[in-house]
Amino acid sequence: MDWLSKIGWTCLSVALFAGLWELCWAMGWADPKLLPPPHIFLSNFAEQGKYFNTATRWQVGVSMGEGPSAFESVMITVAATTMRVFVGLVLASVLAIGIGVAIRYWHLFDRLVLPTVTLLSPVSPIAWLPVAIFLFGIGNAPAIFMVVVALFFHMVLATIAQIDGVSPNLINVARTMGASKHQIYGRVIVPAILPGMLQVLRMNLFGAWMVVLIAESTGVGYGMGQVIMLARNTFNPSLVFFTIAVIGVLGFAFDWLLRFAQRRILYWLPDTQEKLRGL
């Protein structure tokens, strides 16, 4: 019943948003040529899906009717973008958490690395786009590099903040019991920062989806970013909102999976959400 309730409220929330959009269209407040309502850009999947075949569409002398079907084109494009997001997120997380722990573990490493990380952290991911092209050309590599760079520096600082926030009582108890520095980090600090780092990982998941679209617009063969570029160049608002809807569904699904995994990994944490509702 709890799952049914959550699904029901989710559907109601989306329906309310779509209903307000449809109402604006019905009242004439939204121009259907610029802001087409959901029933327009979602009604013809085949028409929108054929534009996702960007790898074939942009080849000279190849018609849009050739290659995979509309559904297959959408699935191929979604899989390619999802792969870049997932690989970039995993690489950024592993590198950032490892370097963040190393910064606090070794004092010399802290002095040599942390100033550079802090210096590069405010740089916009868009500024790294030419660097990605210079280093990797076109393909999957620059898109993955962009995701890693966009998340890495912020996750390093987040890891350091989580380590600094560990309760001194936990560390003092470990010292009293004779734990070494290595044991304190491995059995006290890292488990203590795990809940916060999973939350940071969840927030950076949305950031990864934002960055990968920018990276894919440079030319990676096929991807959601190229579909957005195609829609912009051809002035196709329906395709823009259809692609946005697909990205939203993917982001929602991956966020749900991450929250599900978080509850399973951190099974010992209390459900604070229910406590707050009782206030």
Side-chain angles (χ1 to χ4, degrees):
M1 293 300 295
D2 184 55
W3 284 107
L4 291 176
S5 176
K6 290 181 179 180
I7 293 174
W9 282 109
T10 300
C11 294
L12 180 61
S13 175
V14 176
L16 179 61
F17 175 76
L20 291 175
W21 194 342
E22 294 283 354
L23 178 63
C24 292
W25 166 79
M27 299 294 293
W29 299 337
D31 188 348
K33 295 181 180 180
L34 300 177
L35 295 173
H39 81 271
I40 291 180
F41 64 80
L42 294 178
S43 60
N44 194 344
F45 183 92
E47 179 67 21
Q48 305 294 353
K50 67 181 181 181
Y51 291 102
F52 280 70
N53 189 16
T54 54
T56 301
R57 177 182 172 82
W58 288 7
Q59 294 178 4
V60 177
V62 177
S63 66
M64 290 182 58
E66 300 183 18
S69 64
F71 179 79
E72 291 172 342
S73 298
V74 173
M75 292 298 102
I76 292 172
T77 305
V78 166
T81 301
T82 302
M83 180 273 296
R84 295 170 190 132
V85 170
F86 180 77
V87 173
L89 185 64
V90 170
L91 289 176
S93 302
V94 172
L95 292 174
I97 294 175
I99 291 178
V101 172
I103 285 175
R104 280 297 178 255
Y105 191 90
W106 290 291
H107 188 58
L108 178 61
F109 193 80
D110 183 347
R111 292 186 171 184
L112 291 176
V113 175
L114 184 57
T116 303
V117 172
T118 307
L119 178 69
L120 295 177
S121 182
V123 178
S124 171
I126 300 177
W128 290 98
L129 185 57
V131 179
I133 298 175
F134 296 156
L135 293 177
F136 303 103
I138 60 175
N140 290 322
I144 295 174
F145 173 80
M146 285 283 292
V147 174
V148 172
V149 168
L151 306 183
F152 171 75
F153 300 107
H154 298 287
M155 292 192 71
V156 170
L157 298 179
T159 303
I160 295 173
Q162 291 289 332
I163 293 175
D164 294 342
V166 174
S167 174
N169 295 332
L170 299 176
I171 300 176
N172 293 333
V173 170
R175 285 177 175 174
T176 303
M177 299 179 67
S180 63
K181 183 178 181 180
H182 178 75
Q183 290 174 327
I184 291 175
Y185 269 83
R187 299 189 179 184
V188 177
I189 293 180
V190 172
I193 69 173
L194 186 58
M197 290 312 301
L198 286 176
Q199 189 66 28
V200 171
L201 182 64
R202 179 189 171 193
M203 295 297 103
N204 279 278
L205 173 65
F206 300 121
W209 277 102
M210 298 176 189
V211 174
V212 76
L213 298 180
I214 301 174
E216 288 180 343
S217 64
T218 61
V220 294
Y222 42 86
M224 307 286 281
Q226 285 204 348
V227 177
I228 293 290
M229 284 285 294
L230 176 63
R232 186 200 68 175
N233 294 336
T234 58
F235 194 73
N236 191 341
S238 293
L239 181 59
V240 171
F241 288 108
F242 180 83
T243 309
I244 290 175
V246 173
I247 296 171
V249 171
L250 290 173
F252 182 87
F254 277 95
D255 178 65
W256 181 87
L257 290 174
L258 191 57
R259 285 187 285 118
F260 179 80
Q262 183 178 357
R263 287 193 298 268
R264 290 296 180 266
I265 296 173
L266 307 176
Y267 60 89
W268 65 87
L269 293 181
D271 189 356
T272 56
Q273 183 179 8
E274 296 298 330
K275 291 183 179 180
L276 291 175
R277 287 175 178 172
L279 294 177

